[in-house]
Amino acid sequence: MKNIAAVANVVVKELYRRKDFYVLFVLTVLICLVMGSVRLFHDGRIVRYLKEICLLLVWISSLIIAITTTARQIPAERESRTLYPLLAKPLTRAQLILGKFLGCWMACGLALLCFYLFFGILAGSREEHWQIVNYLQAAGLHWLMLGVVVALTLFGSLVFTAPSSNTTICFIVVSGILLMGRHLNKVAVQLPEPRRSLLSGFYYAIPHLELFDVRDLIIHNWPPIAWGVCGLAALYALAYAMIFLIAACLAFQRRALN
Amino acid sequence: MGLANCVLSKTENGNGKSRPWGKAGGGCLLTGHETFENWNGWLLCARRGASSIRAGEAWQCAASVRAPEIADPKTMTTDVLLSEPTTVESPRFITPSKATAKAILRTENLCVDYPRRGWGQPGKRAVNNLNLSVWPGEVFGFLGPNGAGKTTTMNVLLGFRQPTSGQAFLFGSNVREPIARQRLGYLPEMTYYYKFLSAEELLQFYARIFDIPRPERERRIDLVLKLVELDGVRKRQIKTYSKGMQQRVGLAQALINDPELLILDEPTSGLDPIGRMQVRQIIQRLKSEGRTVFFSSHELGEVETVCDRVAILKQGELQVEGAINSLAQQHGCNLEQLFLKVIGYTPNT
């Protein structure tokens, strides 16, 4: 566990010492502040639209951070040749993968904390009330979803040689799941066999990331979700993250280093 | 085996006070962080944190010694002495010998094949029946032209690649076992360390992987940074370092666990003359400390200066192996001429 924590610590340091996060955060802050300062049509309900746009920006930024940070980890180690002295030490390949996963996930958690804190302060200042539990649940589920994305991207970085191709493919896959994942079963029933069974199987096999998207809780001030449901979602995310991590470990074990 | 019990004692920073801290009884002995092998009347010591005794060094043992209780081995940081029963109060050093020492690095009929990359392209045998032995305390030069199989051999030794056939051992353990890598330091060729970290942070990271306790970690970091002359810039991010400084950071990380064996892959490659001289001086200092160094290089002058023995590889096969002086006498030429002769280079003129 110490080895995993040591690797994760370096990944987190990398996040806050690189400019990527700051650029995305400043951009999100600027857009949100500009929108938040304008009183459109003198309509109080407009704040809901602003919240929706701001949360969309937070989601996009978090996905960019998660995918780009994770996609470059192993290829960068390989390119700069730091992988060799690292694996010449008593560190197994599986520990390296787990450390990278933990580090990227923690880094995403820190980034989310900044985004949600800023968003909460901004939205709360306009609405003059804070629904802390809603924010906690939305941010927590968002973070769990990023865990699956990080594990998927880490696996991708061992399958695709170039980080750019891995980044692009992961963005397409994650966006596809988020936008269309929930509709696949409806499409499947309209198809003839065997395509129906194939698409249905695909629907049940993919990680349904859209389940973790509970932005409406914050936008519409809906009552919080039952904590048991959040626990089940956590188990669901954990299961998929584990599957991708095991696949990543197996792929890394088989790969020759030079 | 004439050994009944032996006493190992130490002096506190050489002030003459000794106290017993380990014992050997009849056969192999293991205490806490230390490993001793009682071996044909010789005691082999391998202790982390020791400043004057190195793994695999053979220390002749007194015939029979009463063994007192073992003191706390974690407190031992200075000289380790071997004492006789009647001279426990005034212990003495016994000169290490290589005559009966075990090879610290050994390969047996090592073969490595690279699979073919595409249709019509044959596979390549990178290493062919390589038999090598490196003894404790020696600096061993591993030479050969590009593509001779030096890095491939090192990759097998470090567990990065599985041999096609044959075996490789470090400290007597098969390289497939991770424990074999606990006591070695490795400096790969041309590595660009995490540029967002400082030298101190980088060494902290590597020290954590070796599970070195915090006070010892700080002490080791101070020590290696002073050794590679980066103490003054330890807080600066590595991205601000010159190439020579980066290479010295690499040496520092290879030394962080106080390794008994150092594997260096072309440590002076790409460095300017001053950088080369600095790295060479560090290797010589490590040699004077009695560490075992196994390194590949194309700088034959440098190899001649620092190495005790060399091996020359050509197309994966061992061509020549021996002490530099004896090879020079045997072939009647210097190392560079011998190298060119062995690899079959004939000048056009």
Side-chain angles (χ1 to χ4, degrees):
Chain A
M1 191 60 203
K2 275 184 182 172
N3 285 356
I4 295 170
V7 175
N9 185 32
V10 171
V11 179
V12 174
K13 270 188 185 144
E14 183 188 1
L15 176 92
Y16 67 72
R17 289 190 182 167
R18 284 177 71 111
K19 295 183 181 78
D20 315 20
F21 165 70
Y22 300 103
V23 170
L24 283 166
F25 185 67
V26 168
L27 267 176
T28 309
V29 165
L30 281 177
I31 295 168
C32 293
L33 281 177
V34 168
M35 288 197 308
S37 63
V38 179
R39 283 203 172 271
L40 295 166
F41 315 120
H42 300 285
D43 185 356
R45 286 172 301 174
I46 203 79
V47 74
R48 283 186 193 172
Y49 295 107
L50 296 180
K51 276 161 79 175
E52 193 161 1
I53 294 166
C54 290
L55 276 173
L56 183 67
L57 281 173
V58 171
W59 266 69
I60 292 170
S61 301
S62 69
L63 283 175
I64 292 172
I65 289 169
I67 293 174
T68 54
T69 304
T70 313
R72 68 168 171 254
Q73 289 302 319
I74 302 288
E77 292 270 2
R78 208 181 270 269
E79 200 180 327
S80 60
R81 301 176 63 86
T82 43
L83 193 59
Y84 302 100
L86 200 52
L87 291 178
K89 295 184 168 46
L91 177 86
T92 63
R93 294 186 189 197
Q95 283 174 333
L96 179 66
I97 293 287
L98 291 175
K100 291 288 182 190
F101 167 76
L102 189 67
C104 291
W105 194 38
M106 297 304 287
C108 290
L110 282 175
L112 273 190
L113 192 70
C114 296
F115 279 117
Y116 274 91
L117 266 177
F118 162 74
F119 176 73
I121 292 167
L122 183 73
S125 67
R126 297 296 302 265
E127 289 184 323
E128 290 164 4
H129 66 93
W130 280 273
Q131 289 187 300
I132 306 286
V133 180
N134 286 17
Y135 277 93
L136 275 178
Q137 287 189 338
L141 289 170
H142 189 169
W143 190 42
L144 287 171
M145 186 276 297
L146 289 180
V148 181
V149 174
V150 165
L152 171 74
T153 314
L154 205 53
F155 172 58
S157 71
L158 292 158
V159 175
F160 306 107
T161 318
S164 54
S165 56
N166 181 32
T167 305
T168 311
I169 290 166
C170 285
F171 264 120
I172 292 169
V173 169
V174 170
S175 314
I177 291 173
L178 283 170
L179 295 172
M180 294 185 290
R182 74 184 74 193
H183 306 298
L184 285 178
N185 59 337
K186 292 171 200 159
V187 178
V189 291
Q190 293 166 1
L191 292 173
E193 286 292 354
R195 281 192 283 166
R196 178 192 291 186
S197 300
L198 279 174
L199 195 61
S200 296
F202 186 64
Y203 170 80
Y204 288 110
I206 58 168
H208 285 275
L209 303 176
E210 73 278 3
L211 294 176
F212 300 89
D213 182 3
V214 289
R215 281 176 287 167
D216 288 345
L217 278 186
I218 299 175
I219 296 165
H220 303 292
N221 296 328
W222 286 347
I225 307 165
W227 286 106
V229 177
C230 291
L232 283 175
L235 287 177
Y236 181 81
L238 185 73
Y240 271 98
M242 291 266 286
I243 290 167
F244 290 127
L245 286 175
I246 289 168
C249 288
L250 291 174
F252 198 31
Q253 296 286 0
R254 282 162 171 245
R255 206 150 198 203
L257 285 185
N258 47 341
Chain B
M1 288 298 297
L3 289 174
N5 288 300
C6 304
V7 181
L8 284 172
S9 53
K10 69 173 282 261
T11 55
E12 302 282 353
N13 298 320
N15 62 7
K17 286 181 187 172
S18 69
R19 62 188 175 112
W21 67 284
K23 61 179 180 180
C28 189
L29 175 145
L30 290 165
T31 64
H33 287 55
E34 289 73 42
T35 307
F36 299 89
E37 284 181 49
N38 188 347
W39 197 51
N40 289 337
W42 295 78
L43 202 70
L44 295 182
C45 307
R47 186 167 73 84
R48 284 198 278 164
S51 57
S52 65
I53 195 163
R54 298 280 154 238
E57 283 178 355
W59 298 72
Q60 194 164 29
C61 210
S64 180
V65 186
R66 291 287 301 164
E69 287 304 307
I70 301 166
D72 180 9
K74 288 176 188 168
T75 59
M76 304 296 126
T77 55
T78 53
D79 298 342
V80 180
L81 304 176
L82 189 63
S83 62
E84 289 178 2
T86 53
T87 56
V88 171
E89 296 309 311
S90 55
R92 63 182 173 82
F93 265 108
I94 297 168
T95 314
S97 163
K98 286 173 191 166
T100 53
K102 268 183 187 171
I104 212 163
L105 182 157
R106 185 161 54 93
T107 64
E108 282 177 4
N109 302 318
L110 190 74
C111 294
V112 183
D113 290 341
Y114 284 113
R116 60 181 182 189
R117 296 217 164 185
W119 291 106
Q121 283 195 327
K124 193 195 167 197
R125 172 148 287 197
V127 179
N128 192 18
N129 273 325
L130 183 66
N131 289 293
L132 269 185
S133 291
V134 178
W135 305 99
E138 73 178 355
V139 179
F140 191 91
F142 197 42
L143 312 177
N146 289 331
K150 304 185 297 293
T151 303
T152 304
T153 307
M154 286 187 174
N155 285 343
V156 171
L157 290 169
L158 294 159
F160 299 160
R161 176 170 278 281
Q162 298 295 324
T164 310
S165 64
Q167 286 178 312
F169 302 90
L170 292 174
F171 308 102
S173 303
N174 195 306
V175 292
R176 290 166 197 255
E177 296 164 30
I179 190 73
R181 297 195 290 277
Q182 182 73 35
R183 293 188 275 158
L184 74 79
Y186 171 55
L187 174 72
E189 185 192 358
M190 301 287 285
T191 301
Y192 303 95
Y193 292 93
Y194 308 98
K195 55 187 178 185
F196 51 89
L197 294 181
S198 66
E200 190 177 335
E201 287 170 333
L202 182 84
L203 296 177
Q204 288 273 6
F205 166 52
Y206 287 128
R208 278 181 74 184
I209 290 175
F210 280 106
D211 202 11
I212 301 172
R214 189 176 281 269
E216 174 66 8
R217 202 189 299 168
E218 300 301 332
R219 194 186 70 81
R220 289 288 320 154
I221 290 171
D222 286 345
L223 200 76
V224 293
L225 283 176
K226 276 180 189 142
L227 179 76
V228 300
E229 295 170 18
L230 288 175
D231 197 32
V233 290
R234 60 194 292 165
K235 302 274 183 201
R236 256 170 58 186
Q237 287 195 359
I238 293 172
K239 66 181 171 194
T240 64
Y241 286 9
S242 68
K243 213 169 184 177
M245 289 161 89
Q246 289 203 27
Q247 192 70 343
R248 281 185 278 145
V249 167
L251 264 173
Q253 67 78 25
L255 292 167
I256 193 65
N257 59 324
D258 194 16
E260 290 137 33
L261 168 66
L262 271 159
I263 297 182
L264 314 175
D265 192 1
E266 299 187 23
T268 55
S269 157
L271 297 185
D272 63 13
I274 298 168
R276 280 179 195 178
M277 190 188 68
Q278 285 171 326
V279 171
R280 196 166 57 233
Q281 281 172 347
I282 293 167
I283 295 172
Q284 279 174 322
R285 202 181 301 179
L286 296 171
K287 181 184 174 180
S288 68
E289 285 177 11
R291 287 175 210 258
T292 314
V293 183
F294 179 78
F295 84 106
S296 71
S297 179
H298 291 300
E299 298 296 326
L300 299 178
E302 174 184 286
V303 170
E304 223 162 3
T305 314
V306 298
C307 288
D308 300 312
R309 284 198 309 136
V310 292
I312 302 176
L313 239 64
K314 184 192 170 190
Q315 291 175 345
E317 288 187 16
L318 183 65
Q319 304 291 321
V320 171
E321 186 194 355
I324 291 180
N325 292 340
S326 63
L327 285 175
Q329 279 177 359
Q330 198 181 329
H331 294 269
C333 55
N334 65 21
L335 186 64
E336 188 175 78
Q337 289 163 333
L338 174 66
F339 179 84
L340 294 174
K341 201 161 124 185
V342 164
I343 64 164
Y345 176 78
T346 45
N348 290 331
T349 50

